[in-house]
């Protein structure tokens, strides 16, 4: 570094000396001055351009043009223009051209030498450096270290975020609101979730598989009334002899399925007329009973499917003839003219709601329908306003409670 500075200082001194020598040579050219020449300092930078035509050797430089009368410049401030011969002017011009030529030649030669020296040093430095090629083990080690650093960084950031989240109290209202909303949704629609699971995971609420029986074979039947539907794996007790009001039906369906007897549809098994039996397709999971989803698959029955009813130690066999969906208030749909023993199963549809009622109607095929007895007197029965239903949802119960509260 010191050698470069000394070299630069030496070059600057040499250039200065060259400039001084050129100036002395130019001045020597004009050692003999004309008599009328006034020593005026002439700027050296303003050399005569090449396109200026110099006078011949025998011609004198024309005198300066007279200054107009209206020219206001202070004449005392304008220096006198010397009367120089053409020969001297040409020598002056040539001397300055030669000076600038030599000056720029030395300047560019010096610049080229410096650039070449710098490039040589850089090349020497690049050649002296050895490029280290990592081995396979070193590359594997670098990858492992990089992976470990990245994993540690992610783990650290995750821990910091979790810690800040736990310390923050802004999320508590949000989480509380979500919890309350989830609880409400579960209480309101739990019957829908459980009905799907009960209907398709454990059909009919029983672990046994029921097969169709041969109606031509007489077999001993127990005294307990039962409804058996092999296709949807249903085997459930039947509750006879209860009222057709809402409370009686809900209490009976907690123990199985119930007879829904109304005027015009009050027949018992083996009697001419319609035997109406109701059961839940889905009910609130918190309601009592083991048969809240017993009719969840009732809509899968089609014409010709077999249904059995055990009643007073006799098995009655029915075949499905039609399926109907009606409004909950269409109680009259259970009443129709017939000269055969008929069976109608009632449940809510769609599963998880009480929007409609599904009626699956079947006719008795065994024992022989011709031997059936007429149904008893039903004049004492009162027709209810609607068909049996599921229990009310949480929202319905809240509305009923508010209605009762303000009605008192």
């Amino acid at each position: 570094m010191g050698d470069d500075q000394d070299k630069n200082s030496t070059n600057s001194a040499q250039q200065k000396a060259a400039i001084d020598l050129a100036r002395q040579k130019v001045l020597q050219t004009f050692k003999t001055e004309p008599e009328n020449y006034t020593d005026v300092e002439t700027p050296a930078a303003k050399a005569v351009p090449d396109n200026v035509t110099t006078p011949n050797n025998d011609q004198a430089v024309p005198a300066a043009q007279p200054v107009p009368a209206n020219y206001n410049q202070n004449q005392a401030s304008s220096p006198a223009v010397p009367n120089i011969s053409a020969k001297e002017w040409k020598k002056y011009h040539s001397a300055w051209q030669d000076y600038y030529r030599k000056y720029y030649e030395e300047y560019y030669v010096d610049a080229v030498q410096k650039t070449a020296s710098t490039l040589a040093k850089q090349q020497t430095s690049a050649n002296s450096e050895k490029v280290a090629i990592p081995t396979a083990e070193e590359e594997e080690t670098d990858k492992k270290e990089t992976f470990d650093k990245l994993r540690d960084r992610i783990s650290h950031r995750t821990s910091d975020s979790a810690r800040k989240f736990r310390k923050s109290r802004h999320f508590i209202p949000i989480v509380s609101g979500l919890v309350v909303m989830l609880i409400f949704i579960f209480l309101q629609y739990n019957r829908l979730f459980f009905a799907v699971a009960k209907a398709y995971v454990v059909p009919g609420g029983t672990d046994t598989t029921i097969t169709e029986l041969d109606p031509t074979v007489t077999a001993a039947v127990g005294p307990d009334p039962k409804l058996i539907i092999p296709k949807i794996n249903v085997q459930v007790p039947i509750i006879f002899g209860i009222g057709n009001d809402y409370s009686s039906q809900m209490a009976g369906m907690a123990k199985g399925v119930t007879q829904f007897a109304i005027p015009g549809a009050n027949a018992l098994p083996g009697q001419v007329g319609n035997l109406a039996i109701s059961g839940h397709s889905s009910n609130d999971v918190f309601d009592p009973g083991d048969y809240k989803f017993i009719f969840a698959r009732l809509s899968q029955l089609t014409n010709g499917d077999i249904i059995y009813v055990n009643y007073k130690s006799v098995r009655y066999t029915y075949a499905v003839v039609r399926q109907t969906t009606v409004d909950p208030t269409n109680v009259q749909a259970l009443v129709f003219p017939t000269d055969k023993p008929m069976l109608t199963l009632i449940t809510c549809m769609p599963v998880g709601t009480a929007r409609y009622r599904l009626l699956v109607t079947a006719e008795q095929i065994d024992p022989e329908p011709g031997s059936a007895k007429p149904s008893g007197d039903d004049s004492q029965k009162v027709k209810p306003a609607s068909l049996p239903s599921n229990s009310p949802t949480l929202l319905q119960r809240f509305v009923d409670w508010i209605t009762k509260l303000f009605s008192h």
Side-chain angles (χ1 to χ4, degrees):
M1 187 70 180
D3 295 341
D4 294 340
Q5 293 179 354
D6 294 341
K7 186 177 180 180
N8 294 334
S9 300
T10 302
N11 292 336
S12 299
Q14 292 176 356
Q15 292 176 0
K16 185 176 181 182
I19 294 171
D20 293 339
L21 180 61
R23 185 180 295 109
Q24 291 175 7
K25 289 181 179 181
V26 173
L27 293 177
Q28 285 177 3
T29 305
F30 298 95
K31 186 175 182 181
T32 304
E33 302 175 354
E35 293 180 359
N36 59 348
Y37 179 78
T38 304
D39 187 10
V40 179
E41 183 180 355
T42 303
K46 295 184 179 179
V48 178
D50 294 338
N51 59 358
V52 175
T53 304
T54 59
N56 297 328
N57 294 337
D58 299 334
Q59 294 177 352
V61 178
Q65 296 294 329
V67 179
N70 58 354
Y71 185 67
N72 297 327
Q73 185 177 2
N74 187 2
Q75 296 181 2
S77 62
S78 301
V81 178
N83 189 9
I84 305 174
S85 66
K87 185 177 181 180
E88 290 174 344
W89 179 261
K90 187 175 182 180
K91 290 173 64 178
Y92 177 82
H93 177 67
S94 300
W96 272 111
Q97 284 185 336
D98 185 61
Y99 165 72
Y100 277 111
R101 180 180 61 79
K102 292 182 179 180
Y103 174 77
Y104 282 108
E105 283 180 357
E106 293 178 357
Y107 174 78
Y108 284 112
V109 168
D110 183 64
V112 170
Q113 290 177 351
K114 288 182 178 180
T115 304
S117 177
T118 303
L119 292 175
K121 289 181 180 180
Q122 293 178 351
Q123 185 67 26
T124 304
S125 176
N127 293 335
S128 62
E129 294 180 355
K130 294 182 180 180
V131 179
I133 301 176
T135 62
E137 294 180 357
E138 291 176 345
E139 290 182 352
E140 188 66 25
T141 302
D142 292 342
K143 290 181 181 179
K144 187 176 183 303
E145 291 178 353
T146 304
F147 177 76
D148 292 340
K149 289 180 181 179
L150 180 61
R151 182 185 59 188
D152 294 340
R153 186 182 304 172
I154 294 174
S155 177
H156 181 70
R157 289 184 178 179
T158 304
S159 300
D160 289 345
S161 300
R163 184 166 53 255
K164 292 178 181 179
F165 183 77
R166 287 194 298 267
K167 290 182 179 180
S168 177
R169 296 182 178 272
H170 298 290
F171 71 94
I172 293 179
I174 299 176
V175 173
S176 301
L178 289 175
V179 170
V180 171
M181 184 176 66
L182 290 175
I183 292 175
F184 174 80
I185 291 174
F186 175 77
L187 294 177
Q188 175 71 13
Y189 299 105
N190 69 83
R191 63 190 66 201
L192 175 61
F193 307 142
F194 283 93
V196 173
K198 291 289 186 180
Y200 296 98
V201 177
V202 186
T206 177
D207 295 331
T208 60
T209 301
I210 303 171
T211 58
E212 291 188 11
L213 303 176
D214 186 355
T216 62
V217 177
T218 303
V221 176
D224 298 331
K226 285 186 180 181
L227 173 69
I228 303 172
I229 309 175
K231 183 175 182 178
I232 58 176
N233 205 35
V234 166
Q235 182 171 280
V236 57
I238 305 175
I239 311 301
F240 287 99
I242 64 172
N244 56 21
D245 59 284
Y246 175 80
S247 299
S248 299
Q249 289 291 307
M250 289 297 295
M253 285 188 285
K255 302 175 183 179
V257 293
T258 62
Q259 180 188 11
F260 183 67
I262 62 171
N266 191 32
L268 293 173
Q271 293 181 351
V272 175
N274 189 22
L275 167 62
I277 295 179
S278 64
H280 289 307
S281 62
S282 57
N283 206 31
D284 197 282
V285 70
F286 298 104
D287 288 336
D290 298 328
Y291 303 97
K292 293 185 285 286
F293 310 99
I294 195 65
F295 278 172
R297 297 181 63 192
L298 192 64
S299 60
Q300 298 179 14
L301 295 182
T302 58
N303 292 352
D305 290 334
I306 300 300
I307 301 174
Y308 302 105
V309 174
N310 295 345
Y311 181 71
K312 293 184 177 181
S313 300
V314 177
R315 185 182 64 220
Y316 297 90
T317 305
Y318 298 84
V320 176
V321 293
R322 64 175 176 269
Q323 305 84 33
T324 309
T325 301
V326 299
D327 289 329
T329 56
N330 191 4
V331 181
Q332 192 62 27
L334 297 176
V335 181
F336 51 85
T338 180
D339 57 354
K340 298 179 181 179
M342 304 295 293
L343 169 68
T344 299
L345 305 180
I346 310 166
T347 194
C348 295
M349 288 297 292
V351 173
T353 71
R355 177 66 183 87
Y356 300 104
R357 298 296 183 270
L358 174 64
L359 306 181
V360 177
T361 303
E363 63 179 22
Q364 182 178 313
I365 59 175
D366 185 76
E368 176 61 34
S371 61
K373 300 178 181 179
S375 59
D377 182 18
D378 58 0
S379 59
Q380 302 298 322
K381 295 290 182 181
V382 177
K383 184 182 293 186
S386 63
L387 295 168
S389 174
N390 296 333
S391 63
T393 63
L394 175 66
L395 186 59
Q396 290 172 337
R397 293 176 184 180
F398 178 75
V399 172
D400 293 341
W401 178 76
I402 293 295
T403 304
K404 291 180 181 179
L405 181 65
F406 284 95
S407 62
H408 291 295

